[in-house]
Amino acid sequence: MNTRLDTRVLVFLSLLIGIGAALHTIMPPIIFGVTPDLSLVMMMLGIILFPKGRYVLLASLATGFISAMTTGFPGGQIANIIEKPITAFIILGMVKVLEKSMSKQKLAPTITAIGTLISGGIFLFIPVVIMGLGNAGFSVLYASVVLPTALLNTVLMIIVYPIVQNITKRTRISNETSNQTKAA
């Protein structure tokens, strides 16, 4: 089993995380000053393209720390650092289960919708427990922020995934990735 980290994949994941961070910083708040986490879309895209535990761990930690630095949500720093790795490995599990029965074109938006709902639930649960936000606050924030974010993220993935998939097919990344996937 090949356990090395491919530099090309790491560079590609870094680009995705960087794009996600940039999108996250320019996205305006939608309600109560809460901004949807578009870096989550890029993390999920990286997981769908490179579904290996070592890449998922690195991408989730990087995304979590960058999101923590850019969040304005009270308690969001801790929530991002905890939530991103948990969400990432749940998404990895979903990818592994669903990739056998779905095309990647359907898998990407499906994973994004479900993953955003899970991510938002975990993210909001942490401040509820730590800061005592209360169940009413959770329900309002989930309905007013997480649900629209899930829709926004899914639409974004429908647009971005074919573009990124085309890029990876035209580069040596997809060849290396497919060889690694077959070897594992």
Side-chain angles (χ1 to χ4, degrees):
M1 182 174 153
N2 186 0
T3 59
R4 70 182 177 89
L5 295 173
D6 188 298
T7 305
R8 290 171 285 197
V9 173
L10 293 176
V11 168
F12 199 79
L13 286 172
S14 298
L15 288 170
L16 290 176
I17 292 165
I19 291 167
L23 290 173
H24 184 66
T25 58
I26 63 171
M27 180 69 186
I30 58 174
I31 193 162
F32 303 127
V34 178
T35 305
D37 187 0
L38 296 181
S39 62
L40 182 65
V41 175
M42 296 301 147
M43 182 183 81
M44 285 190 251
L45 183 58
I47 295 168
I48 292 166
L49 292 171
F50 311 108
K52 298 277 187 203
R54 56 189 175 262
Y55 297 130
V56 171
L57 179 62
L58 289 171
S60 66
L61 290 174
T63 303
F65 279 103
I66 291 170
S67 294
M69 291 188 299
T70 59
T71 189
F73 191 81
Q77 294 79 13
I78 295 168
N80 271 302
I81 292 169
I82 295 169
E83 172 267 322
K84 291 297 185 282
I86 294 169
T87 299
F89 280 97
I90 291 170
I91 291 168
L92 176 63
M94 289 188 329
V95 168
K96 294 290 188 183
V97 169
L98 295 175
E99 72 182 349
K100 294 173 179 76
S101 62
M102 283 183 154
S103 70
K104 290 272 187 168
Q105 295 298 333
K106 291 179 184 175
L107 179 71
T110 301
I111 293 289
T112 302
I114 296 168
T116 303
L117 295 173
I118 291 168
S119 171
I122 295 169
F123 178 85
L124 291 176
F125 177 77
I126 293 167
V128 165
V129 170
I130 294 172
M131 301 183 69
L133 187 62
N135 289 337
F138 179 90
S139 301
V140 169
L141 286 171
Y142 195 86
S144 62
V145 177
V146 176
L147 295 178
T149 299
L151 179 62
L152 175 71
N153 286 359
T154 303
V155 169
L156 185 61
M157 184 64 83
I158 289 168
I159 295 166
V160 170
Y161 182 74
I163 296 167
V164 174
Q165 187 180 36
N166 192 21
I167 291 168
T168 59
K169 283 181 182 177
R170 293 173 184 252
T171 63
R172 290 175 37 191
I173 294 173
S174 64
N175 294 338
E176 184 67 27
T177 306
S178 62
N179 291 340
Q180 286 179 359
T181 304
K182 290 175 187 173

